[in-house]
Amino acid sequence: MKQINGEKMDILHCDINNFFASSIVLKYPELKGKPVAVGGNEQDRHGVIVSANYEAKKFGIKCGVTTYQAKKMCKDIVIKESDFALFNELSLKIRKIYEKYTDKIEVFSIDECFLDVTGSHKLFGTSEQIAYKIKEQVKKEVGLTISVGVSFCKSLAKLGSDLKKPDAVTIVSKENYKQIIENLPVGSLIGIGRRTNDKLLKLNIKTLGELSRTDKKLLETTLGVIGTNIYNSVNGLDNEPVITSDPNSKPKSIGNSTTFYKDLTDHEEIKLGLSIISENIIERCYAKKLFYAKTLSIVVRDNNLDYFQKQTPIRHILTSKNITDTAYQLFMKYFEHTVVRLIGITISNFCESESQLSFFDDDKDLKKQAKMDKAVLDINHKYGDSVVFKANRFKNEKIASSFDKRKDKND
């Protein structure tokens, strides 16, 4: 096992470079070398860019820019709509390559994974050698590039993969990490979002070097548990393991979120969106034989890209209507006047049987709804996906078409 100045380097963070845009270029090779972005319909002034390749980034085009603005910034840009079947296919192909080197893989997002290669050195060499082997194999077999951070903890491995792009390996060791972080902006560290960044700036903490030297109690007093976490991360004290999911185990939560093709204030359209998300969640819950739960939460991102989250108890028998109605009531209670760009639902605290439910769930209507949901899913599984839809999906075809059942978040 290779050691750098006596320190083991066992954690990799693998990040696919410009994943969505690069995937589109892979599908349409004639676009290679041209500015390409993935977002809403090019004719829609309110569509939002979610990914841009390096040629497009040279013009200042980045995530969050509207398609209308992107076209003004670069008249030759090619904007393609998301292709989630393609994205899922390529993500799984790359994950299969990771699995050749270790079975300890934590999926962080569709384009990012943590790998624990502690037990892989006898077969494949040092952590650095493994990182280069994986990077080259992905490029050769899939046609995409990745950046890999190699470190002794997850937070610094993630930092490493962000430092050098595209197609690169960066080592962050105990010997060199203080030098690496010294002048990096505080927002470079995982766990520091926009609001936390603003609070740190008010404390006159602008760089990760300054953050590492800040009193831990001050951070905890100002930021609570987040303060503890970022103090540990920036000082190399992050000991969080790579969490591997057992594909046969029952998930602790199941969620789905999506970005609307335009910012929404219309409550009927928002409820329709929640309904479609709920159908996806029910399908995945039933596939895992999860029929009862106790908690529902929603996440909302507004037109300023700020995130908000609230949760509430849910009537325990899971149906798509029950999830939709509960989520909508929660939205109206806390976010009625919000301009919505993204909305999501997560179900958690699953129950194993009706014996774990409270007395008020002896509800004939909910049980009838559950039977209807199961019948719809059985028909669609037998005759093809989406043969049967709930009637309300056709109230607004344009909104409904902006959702994709594969566009989900697996918690």
Side-chain angles (χ1 to χ4, degrees), residues 48 63-64 194 301-307 341:
V48 176
C63 180
R194 180 175 171 180
R301 184 168 70 182
D302 65 15
N303 57 333
N304 292 319
L305 303 183
D306 285 328
Y307 276 92
R341 178 163 294 185

Side-chain angles (χ1 to χ4, degrees), residues 37-55:
V38 177
N41 188 293
E42 190 174 352
Q43 306 305 316
D44 183 357
R45 294 167 62 96
H46 299 286
V48 176
I49 299 298
V50 296
S51 178
N53 66 359
Y54 288 105
E55 287 79 5

